[in-house]
Amino acid sequence: MRLNRLVGKWAGAGKRRTREMFESRKVIVNGQVCEDGKTLIGRFDQVEVDNLVVQNEVPRYVMLHKPQGIVSATTDPEYRTVIDLIGEEWAGKLHLAGRLDRFTSGLVILTNDSGYSESLTAPSKKVGKRYLVEVDGEIGTEVVSTFKEGMWFAKEKVTTAPAVIKLLGKNKCRLTIFEGKHHQIKRMFAKFSFKVTKLHREAVGDLELPDELKEGQWAEFVPVR
Ligand code: URA
């Protein structure tokens, strides 16, 4: 957004009075006087006019180890949410960069930076989400080859991107998928009449759930872009 628009709106001022605020060097952006009202500013630039704060939002990036039973939502009438787990006054401004089912545990990313969350969730970005999966039967070669090829999801009318699968035992695997369709992994296994008995997200793109982050705990991080 242009700075003069933000300042004018904040002050309830017309074009002329807004211009005067710039001319009299009253507008400060990130600690520096700014005389050019046409300057483009982002949501996280700090803006002051006449020592009053116009905009001062801190970007937040949170990794959370979601336990089973917690809902990936900002509010819920019945269950505790990931926001309840954070419990800070700024937590209400966060949104989720991809959800996990209530049944699923593991890494959830929350932020107030929509540009960042889109970089993780936009289908075009094809960010991998890695899970540990256990099912109620033996995972055979047909499952492995179908997952690697991609699967037809009739509801969305799409074929899923080829997944990466590594067997860890008869009924256990490490699975990376590149979309975030509703209940995707459960639905992938359900096509072979398997029920997922354990689902845990270990990583989203380059972000790994740190070992030291125990269930229910969270930590802020600085994203690498
Ligand atoms: N697939 C699922 O079925 N559930 C999740 O929470 C994530 C992926």
Side-chain angles (χ1 to χ4, degrees):
M1 187 199 264
R2 286 229 173 137
L3 188 53
N4 51 9
R5 229 182 121 213
L6 178 84
V7 170
K9 210 170 148 206
W10 171 83
K15 280 187 184 161
R16 192 162 140 220
R17 200 153 73 78
T18 305
R19 199 167 50 244
E20 283 166 4
M21 285 189 247
F22 282 92
E23 284 166 2
S24 55
R25 299 171 57 83
K26 284 183 176 160
V27 182
I28 313 285
V29 178
N30 300 326
Q32 307 278 331
V33 173
C34 181
E35 292 178 75
D36 183 3
K38 292 196 185 111
T39 305
L40 290 177
I41 49 146
R43 186 170 156 201
F44 299 117
D45 285 315
Q46 194 197 47
V47 181
E48 284 174 43
V49 176
D50 235 354
N51 295 323
L52 296 172
V53 175
V54 176
Q55 171 174 289
N56 185 20
E57 190 164 357
V58 177
R60 305 266 180 196
Y61 306 93
V62 172
M63 285 185 169
L64 180 135
H65 187 160
K66 185 184 106 53
Q68 279 194 335
I70 299 288
V71 176
S72 288
T74 46
T75 57
D76 190 273
E78 202 175 343
Y79 298 103
R80 291 189 80 204
T81 70
V82 286
I83 300 291
D84 295 331
L85 289 181
I86 297 172
E88 298 284 336
E89 48 85 18
W90 43 262
K93 291 197 170 160
L94 303 179
H95 61 269
L96 286 129
R99 292 166 192 272
L100 291 179
D101 300 340
R102 189 161 60 85
F103 157 91
T104 308
S105 61
L107 179 61
V108 170
I109 310 293
L110 297 111
T111 181
N112 57 353
D113 179 349
S114 48
Y116 181 67
S117 56
E118 274 166 39
S119 76
L120 295 179
T121 57
S124 59
K125 306 282 180 194
K126 298 221 177 305
V127 172
K129 272 85 55 178
R130 197 179 76 232
Y131 294 84
L132 268 181
V133 193
E134 285 180 32
V135 296
D136 64 348
E138 193 167 328
I139 305 169
T141 51
E142 200 195 341
V143 172
V144 174
S145 58
T146 309
F147 283 13
K148 280 184 177 171
E149 277 164 23
M151 291 178 76
W152 176 247
F153 271 23
K155 190 172 139 207
E156 293 90 351
K157 296 192 178 56
V158 288
T159 302
T160 59
V164 176
I165 178 166
K166 185 171 189 285
L167 290 181
L168 302 173
K170 282 184 177 164
N171 66 338
K172 198 171 170 179
C173 68
R174 186 164 266 135
L175 180 64
T176 305
I177 57 172
F178 296 87
E179 304 96 341
K181 310 247 167 282
H182 191 54
H183 298 313
Q184 181 164 339
I185 294 179
K186 289 197 206 113
R187 288 164 66 199
M188 286 165 76
F189 277 101
K191 289 223 173 188
F192 294 91
S193 304
F194 286 123
K195 188 172 182 304
V196 173
T197 53
K198 191 172 173 199
L199 190 54
H200 175 79
R201 185 151 75 186
E202 298 179 314
V204 174
D206 295 334
L207 300 166
E208 299 272 340
L209 182 63
D211 284 344
E212 61 274 17
L213 211 58
K214 303 299 172 208
E215 282 202 345
Q217 293 183 334
W218 58 274
E220 286 191 76
F221 69 98
V222 180
V224 182
R225 291 164 203 254

